[in-house]
Amino acid sequence: MSGLLPTRTVNKVWGRQELPAPFENTTGEPVGEIWFEPPQELDQLLVKYLFTSEKLSVQCHPSDAQAPEGGSGKEECWYVLHAEPGATLAIGLEREVSPEELRAAALDGSIEQLLTWHEVKAGDFFYLPAGTIHAIGPGLSLIEVQQNSDITYRLYDYGRPRDLHLDAAMEVAVRAPYDPKYTRHIPADGNAVLVSGPHFRLDRIAGQPSANHVESIAGRALVIPLSGEYSVAGKVVQPGECAWCEMLDDVAWPEDGMALVAA
């Protein structure tokens, strides 16, 4: 049956002691991520909130074909909720490089200068195909929707005492600039299809969607309110929560609401 998803709070060295509303940090440690535990019916999708006060590691992920046997790849996307002035995301490289140059840059830290840093603001959206080299900078709150996989290959971590995975990363990393077709700014009003790919679909819906739009999102879905109070199969769902439903006919859409819908 449809219902609210339980959350998991994940402490990270790069997280925040103080979280934006409606979240509260009761752990005493910096919180970097809040996960919504996926239901069995949609266990191939994972939704997270991320909150940053420091740079995250430089990393990449394999595709389904490149993942270790028994695992899945990881394609993901980011919807920026809030960005402090000058906040950036690193996605892709400034130029194409050889495997030898990338490995050397990861070892000596100059990979930071190889990355393309995108200054961002609320409403910016980025899709990251498997293999994309990326890092998230400080001063950001964003929602990440991804394939439900924890396979991460870390290339650089600013001297933090965590393992790197250079051999695995070299096998899958795209050593080239990021294709701008994967990014866009989402207007404050209206509905938009953000992702329509082989792994998941993601929509941003503001107010009432048309019947055709609802019909185009077939089957089970996750509803992630950004503003307004939603009802999913009779259950109230508010910003900071996530619910799943068998079909979008079970959702009551508030006129003043805005939500992400993942399917």
Side-chain angles (χ1 to χ4, degrees):
M1 295 180 63
S2 304
L4 286 174
L5 301 187
T7 60
R8 184 198 308 178
T9 299
V10 183
N11 297 117
K12 296 286 188 179
V13 296
W14 43 258
R16 293 191 200 169
Q17 291 284 359
E18 295 186 5
L19 301 181
F23 299 102
E24 291 185 17
N25 183 0
T26 60
T27 70
E29 301 290 336
V31 172
E33 301 177 352
I34 293 178
W35 297 21
F36 296 100
E37 301 284 1
Q40 184 177 359
E41 293 83 356
L42 277 171
D43 63 359
Q44 69 273 36
L45 282 179
L46 181 64
V47 175
K48 305 177 182 177
Y49 279 80
L50 279 74
F51 313 103
T52 67
S53 64
E54 300 177 11
K55 290 179 180 177
L56 280 66
S57 63
V58 180
Q59 55 188 243
C60 60
H61 310 291
S63 67
D64 285 348
Q66 297 164 330
E69 186 175 355
S72 68
K74 183 176 175 182
E75 301 212 344
E76 60 191 348
C77 59
W78 298 329
Y79 184 92
V80 179
L81 296 169
H82 177 265
E84 294 177 3
T88 56
L89 296 167
I91 311 176
L93 304 180
E94 286 288 280
R95 56 182 173 82
E96 191 165 347
V97 301
S98 68
E100 294 77 17
E101 184 177 2
L102 181 60
R103 179 184 286 270
L107 289 171
D108 67 18
S110 61
I111 192 171
E112 285 196 79
Q113 286 71 57
L114 281 180
L115 292 165
T116 298
W117 292 89
H118 306 256
E119 189 167 335
V120 297
K121 58 186 179 296
D124 285 349
F125 177 79
F126 298 85
Y127 187 84
L128 279 68
T132 303
I133 300 172
H134 60 275
I136 300 175
L140 287 165
S141 298
L142 55 85
I143 291 178
E144 178 176 289
V145 179
Q146 60 165 87
Q147 286 181 272
N148 188 10
S149 168
D150 62 358
I151 302 174
T152 295
Y153 299 145
R154 197 176 297 121
L155 290 103
Y156 179 68
D157 201 25
Y158 316 98
R160 298 177 185 132
R162 297 195 292 179
D163 291 338
L164 302 181
H165 316 96
L166 291 183
D167 290 341
M170 293 301 152
E171 293 291 326
V172 305
V174 176
R175 297 171 281 100
Y178 177 64
D179 192 329
K181 73 180 182 182
Y182 291 119
T183 182
R184 60 194 285 200
H185 181 75
I186 311 304
D189 299 318
N191 303 327
V193 179
L194 307 184
V195 179
S196 182
H199 304 294
F200 57 87
R201 172 169 169 166
L202 184 68
D203 292 64
R204 203 289 304 276
I205 295 178
Q208 295 281 336
S210 69
N212 287 341
H213 196 149
V214 169
E215 289 174 4
S216 72
I217 307 173
R220 300 180 175 111
L222 301 176
V223 179
I224 311 146
L226 305 177
S227 63
E229 185 175 281
Y230 285 73
S231 174
V232 177
K235 300 177 178 67
V236 173
V237 187
Q238 304 180 77
E241 299 177 325
C242 178
W244 79 276
C245 56
E246 291 283 356
M247 58 184 64
L248 289 186
D249 289 342
D250 293 337
V251 180
W253 308 91
E255 291 286 352
D256 61 347
M258 184 180 295
L260 297 180
V261 175

